[in-house]
Amino acid sequence: MKIRSDIVRMYRDIHSWVGIVCGLALFIAFYAGAITMFEAPLNRWASEPRVFTTHTPLENTPELVEKVLAEYPQAANRYEITLDAGLQDRPARVMWSSGRRGGGTTYYAELAEDGSLQVHTEGPSAVGQLVDDIHRQVGILLDHDIAMPIVGIVSLLYFIALVSGVIVLLPTLVKDLFILRIGKNLKRMWLDFHNALGLFSLPFHIIMALTAVVFALHDQFYVSQRALLEKNGRPEVHEESHEHRGALAPQQIVARLQEQSPEFTPLFMQFHYEEDHGLELLVSGTNPRHGARAPHYGMVAVDPYSGEKTMTGYMPGEQDGWYATLTSFFSLHFGNFGGNPVRWGYFLLGLAGAVLFYTGNLLWIESHRKKRRKGYEYLEVSQTRASKVLGALTVGISLGCIAGISATIAAAKVLPLWTEAVAAWHTGIYYAVFFLATAWAFYRGAARSAVDLSYVSAAATLLIPLVSALSAIIPGVGWNHGGSTYLIDAVALVGAGTLVVLARKTLARIHSAPYYSIWYVGADPVAPVQAVPQPVAGDATGV
């Protein structure tokens, strides 16, 4: 396909600059996002064995709720009833938080065998939520409402980079599609690898770019939708207050839902009190034939006094066209369809995306020096200060993200031994490692720090299975749940090995790179000196 060279050049510049601007944020989003594909197994691996050995029968839940509200009246504003008390992230029949919408301390309650109330604050590990937060806010340490519009803008730029990259590749698409030129020209080889990786994972990246825009800016979409609905007469989704009646028991509500929607499987109920409308109820659950609004479930609003559905906008399989379209974007982004094969596919594509952004930035730095030589080919142009800064940022942020996430995951099994503020410590460990790695990259330069930080990342990742091994050997240190949770340790071992290989390859590269490269640090001081060939006596005599 022929495209004018000036047009290709313009789109190449757009692709490069847009990629440079948002590439590092996207590295964090893709690396952390790949891990969130297995957030539930990770939380199980990182969480202490449950403090409740038995669970209150569902038919006794009204008695449990009554005792909770009598002793903890603040729970009346918002509390949850777990229908399957075996869920890892909901280890008790009733739970509530002291802060607004899940903030503050979370309490878990059950009835003891003698009918007395048991309440604990120990719950699932916070490390899975931290990795998810890093993914959703691309590591931005700002309030969620401020960070998400920034993420939305990054996602839009990401889509522009994808379109411009495809246009740049079109003229040589057929010729270069299956070419990987392995040789002395490492830059050419990495460019072929970058292009092939980007092209073959293009559908996944388009899905991520478009769905991330919706995901990051959906609050703004809802405001627009609400304004439109109010202009045309907003429907009333709340039922009138029924304070004169008693709410149905949980098993009665489940039975009414099964009558109305047999394919919907309720998982948990969230009761909350609204001054204008009294007690309200959201029931979360799944329908295997339809995608869900949240990563693992959808929701339906239910009248707690009659069990009738009052709003099905987020209910899998019973949405109107608008909500179904919006949910399909969320479902495509979360990969919550197709089971484990889709999750593993998303995991590998997420890691490949992170590699794409890492190599893209470094390729741009190397290409930018060559471009500056145009018209002065007889001169050797060194890297600019801006290129060195970008190189340090690329290495420090990317490897700092890997090392930080690995370190905070590895700490999950030992933090409860020393502190009750586990969630704060997880956040502190990640950002401490992340910022130290970035500072180290500026101190040592991109080339040297790439080797150092690759080894540090490998060591931090290796700590994950090591802590599990120590937990099996030393009583009282950590725990092991067995079964599929060992996959977390196995994947970490593979990751650590890959990082060691990357460190060794980078070490070889930085001592053989030309002095104008971003990877140049000088000749290998331990490389053996090659012997100078001596002339053969016969040759000297002309024999």
Side-chain angles (χ1 to χ4, degrees), residues 12 83 129 138 172 179 196 246 248 252 272 276 291 301 322 337 340 347-348 422 424 432 457 473 485 526:
R12 182 181 292 116
L83 300 175
Q129 184 61 51
V138 294
T172 58
I179 292 180
L248 296 177
Q252 292 175 306
H272 58 281
D276 297 336
W322 167 264
F337 56 92
N340 282 333
F347 175 75
L348 295 175
V422 173
S457 299
I473 297 170
T485 59
V526 297

Side-chain angles (χ1 to χ4, degrees), residues 46-113:
S47 300
E48 292 184 81
R50 299 188 183 97
V51 294
F52 297 109
T53 54
T54 58
H55 298 292
T56 305
L58 187 59
E59 57 270 23
N60 294 343
T61 304
E63 178 187 352
L64 171 60
V65 171
E66 183 180 349
K67 290 185 175 179
V68 165
L69 298 183
E71 191 164 339
Y72 299 88
Q74 70 274 18
N77 292 329
R78 185 178 296 270
Y79 63 91
E80 294 183 3
I81 293 176
T82 304
L83 300 175
D84 179 2
L87 295 174
Q88 181 59 43
D89 55 345
R90 288 179 169 76
R93 183 66 74 190
V94 173
M95 52 186 285
W96 71 97
S97 299
S98 59
R100 185 173 175 269
R101 295 187 180 278
T105 303
T106 301
Y107 296 85
Y108 305 90
E110 294 278 11
L111 287 177
E113 291 183 359

Side-chain angles (χ1 to χ4, degrees), residues 408-430:
T408 200
I409 289 175
K413 291 187 177 182
V414 292
L415 277 179
L417 294 174
W418 296 303
T419 179
E420 293 183 354
V422 173
W425 270 91
H426 274 302
T427 303
I429 290 172
Y430 170 76

